[in-house]
Amino acid sequence: MSKGPTPLRLDDESIRKLLKEAGWPCERINEDTWRSRFKTKKATFPFFVRVDPAGWVVLAIVPFSRSPEEVPAADALYQRLLELNHKLLMAKFSIDDDLDVVLSVEYPTGAIDASEFRDALDALSFYADKHHEELGALAGTADDA
């Protein structure tokens, strides 16, 4: 009986290696967080990789866009984010304390292997590219990325 892939030890060396293999530069910004960026067909997105001590690795584009100041526009954006969250696989949209829209993928660190880490990166970049224009238009920030 064969075992599945070996879970990754998510440390500075392994995260740098995984990002480098994907062609994405990275910089460690503190003990548990790295910053990188990727370019899609439509925009360049900065993203973060954070290894949470609670047992999760979080890959997030922060900010994906800004929330509009006008309440009706913000309501329309938030409604669309809820609709998208119902359809997305592996990823989710959220709003942070600064009212920035965040696109993230979270995965338990105890089970993630190299191919799943790459899948998480792929999901993040796929959904960023797919929804950037629509959500940017709703937020009034279509040219920000």
Side-chain angles (χ1 to χ4, degrees):
M1 181 181 226
S2 68
K3 294 182 180 181
T6 304
L8 285 174
R9 178 176 175 191
L10 292 174
D11 57 15
D12 187 49
E13 182 180 335
S14 64
I15 290 174
R16 284 181 187 279
K17 181 181 176 187
L18 288 163
L19 292 172
K20 184 178 179 181
E21 287 172 354
W24 298 345
C26 83
E27 147 189 31
R28 189 174 187 177
I29 58 174
N30 65 34
E31 183 177 307
D32 61 4
T33 307
W34 294 259
R35 177 178 32 221
S36 186
R37 66 186 175 283
F38 61 88
K39 185 172 182 156
T40 67
K41 296 174 188 172
K42 301 172 186 170
T44 298
F45 296 94
F47 74 96
F48 298 89
V49 176
R50 180 172 183 269
V51 179
D52 186 317
W56 294 89
V57 60
V58 179
L59 297 88
I61 298 172
V62 183
F64 184 76
S65 72
R66 310 258 182 227
S67 291
E69 292 184 18
E70 300 80 29
V71 172
D75 286 348
L77 174 64
Y78 298 161
Q79 179 63 41
R80 183 62 181 142
L81 296 176
L82 288 171
E83 292 166 0
L84 289 171
N85 279 348
H86 185 69
K87 297 176 183 179
L88 301 182
L89 301 175
M90 292 182 68
K92 68 179 177 181
F93 284 102
S94 59
I95 305 296
D96 70 10
D97 294 343
D98 297 323
L99 298 180
D100 291 330
V101 175
V102 176
L103 175 60
S104 63
V105 174
E106 299 176 0
Y107 211 96
T109 56
I112 194 167
D113 63 33
S115 69
E116 291 163 331
F117 190 91
R118 287 188 295 272
D119 289 346
L121 290 169
D122 288 346
L124 194 69
S125 62
F126 173 79
Y127 289 124
D129 191 47
K130 183 173 183 172
H131 298 293
H132 172 69
E133 286 182 17
E134 174 194 6
L135 296 178
L138 283 171
T141 59
D143 297 328
D144 283 1

